[in-house]
Amino acid sequence: MRLWVFQILNGLTMGSLLFFVAAGLSVVFGLMRILNLSHGAIFLFGGFVGLAVQKATGSFWLAIPAAMLAAGILGFIIQKVFSTTLMGSRFNQVLLTLGLAFIFNNSILAIWGGAPQTIPAPEILATSVKVLGVTYPAYRLFLIVLAFVAGIGLWFFWERSRLGAIVRACVDDRDMATAMGIRVEIVFATVFTLGAAIAGMAGVLGAPVLGVSIGLDFDVLLLALVVMVVGGVGSLSGAFVASLMVGLVDTFGKALFPELSYFTLFSPVIIILIVRPLGLFGRIPPE
Amino acid sequence: MRREKIIIGAGIVLAVLPFVLTEYWLGLFTQALIFGGFAMGLDLLVGYTRMPTLGHAAFFGLAGYGTALAITRFGINPWIAAGIGVLLSGGVAVAFAPLAVRVRGLTFLTITLAFGQVTWGLATRWTSFTGGENGIPSVPRPDFIWDLNDRTGFFYLTLIVVIFVSLLISIFASSAVGMSFMGVRGSDTRMSALGYNVQSRRATAFIVAALVAAVYGVLSTFFNKFVGTGSLSWQLSAQMLLAVVVGGFGSLWGPFVAGSGLHILKTLLIGSTQRWPMVLGLLYVISVVFLPGGLSSLVPTIKQRMIHRSKGKEHARYGTNSK
Amino acid sequence: MVQTANSRYALSIENLTVQFGGLLALQDVDIVVPPGSRYGILGPNGAGKTTLFNVISGFVKPTKGRVFLHDADISKKPPHKRVQYGLARTFQITTLFAELSVLENILMAALVQAGTSQVFWKPVHNDKVAVSIAESQLHDLGLMHLAGKAVNELAYGEQRLLEIAVALASNPSVLLLDEPTAGLSTAEIKAVVRLVTNLPKDLTIIMIEHDLDVIFDVSEYLSVLHGGQAIAHGPADEIRHDERVKEVYLGES
């Protein structure tokens, strides 16, 4: 029983981290029809920037805004420089952002080296808490709570705020939004930049759990892609539910069948997508 | 028939390589031919049918693992093992293709990527059977009329396979089925209105590309006398996808040249630096931004001239792109 | 091919309802089309005409109702199977294969008719039966001079003609034409009308058309759709003078 609770919490931790990565990826795709395969590399970039700042200042809390800023700037530049290609055919987008993913990956390797590193959890959370009969790291619980808070906050922003309404209008019908006088390209640039900034933040938040290392960029990208298509592109609630699902399935798969871990994760995914090609909450065909 | 003649002609020219190259370069060219052939097969899926996959290394690697495991774990004759390897890959492709073609675009990309990772994950984690990160070493090469343990001998076997498979691909591409792939790429609604089962055409393209990958996966395993997780990696899938893009969609020869060239470039660069992903990434970006039509788009003038010249002579031929 | 001579109707639609979410695109539509007739579907924008075609050709699943082709129930058949029952259609937006030649475009349909669309072991241009089907189709329509051209080199009017030619190469007994003259000049419209009127008399043609002159010129029978419902059926002359039809449609234009 204890083991189960422990694994469930681990799954929720993983799912929470995935939510931060996938939400940005999914909204950018839903809004702009841009599939950004360099999203995982931006996540890792955020992680390493956070690590550097944490090393220099000793503050975990300073590392987060620094990583968000750096990743946001990177996202802004990508979106600015390659806007023509990004707005062009899906095929070229995929190739371009895949190329960028390789370039970022190799640049990170060149700057920070290949040795896996970690950012220690902030002191105030570097302790363990008794919960549901198990002793569990406080930092991980913090992540789970944060994801729920962020999920609810984003939901309110998305469904209730004026800005959210504008973004949703752009997701649903770009031409209509333009006709209503919304400056779609500014909304796009903002969302792309924000998506990257959130990925950067996730890089720092995830570091005490996953570490920061070359290769993590791709693992995270793949999981975020899976979350996005399972949840349904452009859907925040879908991303939230799918993140927790994927986090749990991945964790249990690894714990129960370590030799088949990829199989246990991806077989359900493939089945879900075959039954529901639009994903659980999807309205937009992900083509 | 022009393309078939070019393939045979190119094969004859390449046959002199053992006389002019050192052992090292001959080995490198043998592998280059293997990866060129792999890319050419992938062109049927990515170029002809426009189904971008990030998982076709799975079929390359599965065939290699199937062969290596059959020989080393079960003591099966290498020739039969090669057949088992190809059948294994082909069988998995036949099972997976009907599922994969139900989704498109981004979901297809994700599913193929996920599928590739499943095979890679099995090879990496199932250490007791697959050797894990260490792969399977000392895979013996089969016996043949001539000695395949000799570099020149293996080169000639590879060349024969490459010529044979390329001829098959070439004829297949110009057949009714090959043309239907282009139709599916152009408009699948129209294709079903004309009586084509679009899903089954897409599945066929998937399986054929998988079989080609499988043949070269076996050849690669014999060449290296080894198979490792790299042969199943998504990086290899990405490299092959790039080969098709750089080479030019649907030209067949372009992806072949690019697939060979990328392998040579990779080998030369890896020797000195760790910058291969950077080069791969830059090539992606450059080719998408500056050369969207690929290598083959650089020679339209030659193609145009050939069409014009053949117009008067060949009455029954109306193909605009007589590939 | 299903025999056409014995069946009462080339196409009959029973009680057809199509619902997209909360929207009723078609509601209890019944239409019967006699063999060999020229049948027009008339109606303002959003009346459900293209949805009707999409249901007949199998691209949209009806919420309720059935579709018969020569008395065979094809309601459950996928689009590519309906071709075997003698159905062919054109599209409103030209969806020709732009990178292929005119002959190759027609060949795509001819291969299915020749039964050689599964052949993978020889070049398609060596397929004598299919090539001759395609060539005679081009010849009959007087488009032979375009055979070697790429589709993207054709004028728009020529593309619309080719659109019909491709559908004809499927050797249909029932042909659906979805706004064949949309976006054409007067001279080009004449060419399309000439082509359609010269088609074999045993071919049943059902046509959606916005140009009233064209539709009254070509069709013998008409059905009028309005708001997803079929509000009138009958010979073209009667429909022309039908008061309700004048009200909802003719009056508007």
Side-chain angles (χ1 to χ4, degrees):
Chain A
M1 192 56 213
R2 282 201 176 166
L3 190 69
W4 281 86
V5 174
F6 199 73
Q7 293 297 357
I8 288 173
L9 288 172
N10 275 345
L12 290 177
T13 307
M14 188 65 201
S16 303
L17 284 171
L18 281 178
F19 174 65
F20 288 116
V21 190
L25 193 66
S26 182
V27 174
V28 166
F29 186 83
L31 179 62
M32 306 152 84
R33 301 289 187 282
I34 292 177
L35 176 58
N36 181 11
L37 291 183
S38 65
H39 205 71
I42 296 174
F43 164 91
L44 189 58
F45 175 66
F48 272 107
V49 169
L51 176 66
V53 171
Q54 194 271 342
K55 270 187 184 163
T57 65
S59 165
F60 182 84
W61 305 112
L62 217 54
I64 290 180
M68 286 182 77
L69 186 69
I73 291 172
L74 184 60
F76 183 78
I77 294 172
I78 295 172
Q79 174 271 138
K80 206 78 199 157
V81 172
F82 297 107
S83 61
T84 327
T85 311
L86 287 175
M87 287 303 181
S89 80
R90 172 67 28 76
F91 205 94
N92 286 345
Q93 273 174 25
V94 165
L95 300 171
L96 173 74
T97 55
L98 185 59
L100 291 176
F102 277 114
I103 294 174
F104 296 159
N105 169 292
N106 210 237
S107 307
I108 290 170
L109 182 68
I111 300 170
W112 285 291
Q117 305 187 57
T118 183
I119 304 179
E123 242 167 72
I124 188 166
L125 295 168
T127 164
S128 290
V129 182
K130 267 251 181 204
V131 56
L132 300 170
V134 297
T135 313
Y136 202 71
Y139 179 75
R140 292 184 174 216
L141 289 175
F142 161 75
L143 278 185
I144 298 172
V145 173
L146 191 65
F148 273 88
V149 171
I152 293 166
L154 274 172
W155 184 83
F156 265 100
F157 166 76
W158 190 250
E159 297 286 335
R160 295 294 157 88
S161 77
R162 194 181 129 68
L163 196 55
I166 292 174
V167 176
R168 260 184 303 136
C170 295
V171 172
D172 285 344
D173 192 335
R174 193 184 294 184
D175 298 332
M176 185 65 87
T178 314
M180 284 162 59
I182 296 171
R183 300 277 301 277
V184 175
E185 67 281 13
I186 292 179
V187 177
F188 282 0
T190 311
V191 170
F192 199 95
T193 307
L194 273 180
I198 294 173
M201 177 186 78
V204 180
L205 286 176
V209 181
L210 304 169
V212 279
S213 61
I214 292 293
L216 189 62
D217 49 345
F218 173 68
D219 289 341
V220 164
L221 171 71
L222 180 61
L223 290 175
L225 275 175
V226 165
V227 164
M228 171 169 138
V229 293
V230 166
V233 292
S235 160
L236 265 180
S237 7
F240 188 75
V241 174
S243 295
L244 297 184
M245 267 173 57
V246 169
L248 284 168
V249 172
D250 188 37
T251 305
F252 274 94
K254 277 185 177 143
L256 297 175
F257 313 99
E259 296 196 327
L260 303 174
S261 60
Y262 279 87
F263 188 76
T264 50
L265 174 60
F266 291 126
S267 318
V269 166
I270 291 172
I271 291 166
I272 287 177
L273 289 177
I274 283 152
V275 179
R276 284 191 64 92
L278 295 188
L280 296 175
F281 294 79
R283 286 169 299 147
I284 308 161
E287 293 190 8
Chain B
M1 285 292 119
R2 203 183 74 239
R3 191 168 55 201
E4 287 78 25
K5 282 179 193 151
I6 292 176
I7 290 171
I8 293 170
I12 292 169
V13 172
L14 287 173
V16 305
L17 284 182
F19 299 99
V20 295
L21 292 181
T22 61
E23 283 259 300
Y24 172 80
W25 280 95
L26 189 61
L28 188 53
F29 265 84
T30 308
Q31 283 174 297
L33 285 178
I34 289 171
F35 287 105
F38 182 2
M40 189 183 191
L42 201 59
D43 192 21
L44 289 173
L45 184 66
V46 178
Y48 270 68
T49 327
R50 209 63 102 242
M51 294 162 72
T53 166
L54 275 176
H56 252 60
F59 301 106
F60 182 83
L62 268 181
Y65 268 94
T67 306
L69 287 171
I71 300 172
T72 57
R73 297 254 189 276
F74 301 102
I76 292 169
N77 172 290
W79 285 114
I80 298 169
I84 291 173
V86 173
L87 281 181
L88 174 71
S89 256
V92 173
V94 167
F96 182 62
L99 304 179
V101 301
R102 293 187 50 159
V103 293
R104 278 147 204 270
L106 163 63
T107 315
F108 179 76
L109 194 81
T110 306
I111 279 198
T112 52
L113 188 56
F115 171 78
Q117 287 308 102
V118 169
T119 60
W120 180 86
L122 280 178
T124 313
R125 303 279 162 83
W126 196 3
T127 317
S128 55
F129 190 58
T130 62
E133 303 273 3
N134 297 327
I136 303 168
S138 357
V139 180
R141 291 177 186 172
D143 295 326
F144 196 48
I145 317 166
W146 61 75
D147 183 13
L148 294 184
N149 284 311
D150 166 63
R151 281 248 155 143
T152 306
F154 199 86
F155 173 81
Y156 280 118
L157 173 73
T158 307
L159 188 60
I160 290 168
V161 172
V162 166
I163 293 172
F164 181 68
V165 174
S166 300
L167 284 175
L168 289 182
I169 292 176
S170 173
I171 294 167
F172 183 87
S174 62
S175 74
V177 174
M179 193 171 79
S180 74
F181 290 176
M182 290 195 254
V184 170
R185 166 182 82 200
S187 162
D188 49 1
T189 347
R190 152 78 50 149
M191 284 303 275
S192 34
L194 291 180
Y196 288 86
N197 184 340
V198 172
Q199 301 292 54
S200 105
R201 297 284 157 157
R202 285 159 56 90
T204 307
F206 192 95
I207 293 164
V208 170
L211 283 173
V212 175
V215 169
Y216 289 116
V218 172
L219 214 47
S220 171
T221 301
F222 282 141
F223 174 81
N224 293 310
K225 301 179 179 170
F226 167 82
V227 63
T229 55
S231 69
L232 294 159
S233 68
W234 78 281
Q235 286 91 339
L236 181 59
S237 290
Q239 185 186 329
M240 286 299 120
L241 182 64
L242 179 64
V244 179
V245 176
V246 171
F249 294 141
S251 70
L252 296 183
W253 68 265
F256 189 100
V257 172
S260 302
L262 277 177
H263 179 75
I264 292 175
L265 194 63
K266 178 181 174 180
T267 312
L268 298 180
L269 285 176
I270 273 185
S272 55
T273 65
Q274 283 198 317
R275 295 286 160 266
W276 172 241
M278 178 68 79
V279 174
L280 199 61
L282 285 172
L283 279 172
Y284 261 106
V285 174
I286 291 167
S287 63
V288 172
V289 177
F290 298 107
L291 190 63
L295 282 178
S296 66
S297 71
L298 292 177
V299 283
T301 41
I302 300 168
K303 204 163 125 194
Q304 223 71 41
R305 230 178 292 140
M306 283 176 159
I307 289 169
H308 280 299
R309 207 185 303 150
S310 64
K311 248 184 187 163
K313 280 185 280 181
E314 286 179 66
H315 204 65
R317 188 192 206 114
Y318 299 101
T320 49
N321 39 4
S322 41
K323 305 165 190 158
Chain C
M1 178 94 5
V2 178
Q3 51 191 12
T4 61
N6 301 335
S7 47
R8 233 168 357 131
Y9 298 116
L11 175 82
S12 74
I13 290 158
E14 275 181 11
N15 206 11
L16 194 70
T17 299
V18 176
Q19 201 168 355
F20 296 123
L23 182 85
L24 267 179
L26 290 172
Q27 191 180 356
D28 298 320
V29 172
D30 292 281
I31 292 175
V32 290
V33 180
S37 62
R38 304 288 185 266
Y39 203 103
I41 309 280
L42 204 56
N45 273 330
K49 302 183 301 278
T50 295
T51 306
L52 179 68
F53 266 26
N54 283 337
V55 172
I56 298 173
S57 50
F59 291 106
V60 168
K61 280 203 185 96
T63 316
K64 204 173 73 180
R66 293 194 292 178
V67 179
F68 295 86
L69 206 68
H70 307 299
D71 295 344
D73 186 351
I74 59 166
S75 315
K76 297 260 148 58
K77 307 278 178 204
H80 67 270
K81 285 268 167 65
R82 300 188 185 203
V83 179
Q84 296 164 13
Y85 288 81
L87 188 72
R89 70 167 290 181
T90 66
F91 292 87
Q92 213 176 95
I93 303 158
T94 303
T95 55
L96 296 160
F97 308 114
E99 297 151 79
L100 300 181
S101 74
V102 167
L103 186 88
E104 283 167 333
N105 265 272
I106 302 216
L107 208 46
M108 208 74 91
L111 286 163
V112 177
Q113 294 316 304
T116 49
S117 69
Q118 312 279 356
V119 168
F120 58 87
W121 54 87
K122 66 175 184 187
V124 68
H125 290 279
N126 294 358
D127 187 330
K128 292 210 174 64
V129 180
V131 169
S132 77
I133 292 176
E135 283 182 341
S136 66
Q137 193 63 60
L138 281 176
H139 186 81
D140 290 351
L141 300 179
L143 298 173
M144 198 60 188
H145 59 288
L146 300 176
K149 276 200 174 176
V151 163
N152 44 25
E153 296 169 26
L154 296 185
Y156 184 65
E158 291 172 325
Q159 291 191 11
R160 300 302 303 182
L161 291 177
L162 177 59
E163 175 87 29
I164 300 173
V166 170
L168 284 169
S170 292
N171 190 26
S173 57
V174 175
L175 173 66
L176 311 178
L177 298 176
D178 194 351
E179 297 206 23
T181 69
L184 296 184
S185 70
T186 323
E188 288 168 331
I189 290 176
K190 277 200 181 123
V192 171
V193 170
R194 198 180 322 125
L195 185 148
V196 172
T197 37
N198 287 339
L199 290 175
K201 290 297 163 218
D202 56 343
L203 175 66
T204 310
I205 300 174
I206 306 168
M207 177 162 140
I208 295 176
E209 183 53 68
H210 259 139
D211 189 317
L212 293 176
D213 292 333
V214 171
I215 205 149
F216 283 116
D217 221 14
V218 175
S219 14
E220 302 153 10
Y221 300 96
L222 285 173
S223 280
V224 183
L225 289 185
H226 180 62
Q229 287 175 302
I231 58 164
H233 307 281
D237 284 342
E238 279 179 30
I239 295 291
R240 200 197 281 267
H241 300 109
D242 188 297
E243 286 303 319
R244 279 176 306 163
V245 175
K246 272 188 188 166
E247 228 171 85
V248 305
Y249 188 66
L250 302 183
E252 285 175 14
S253 55

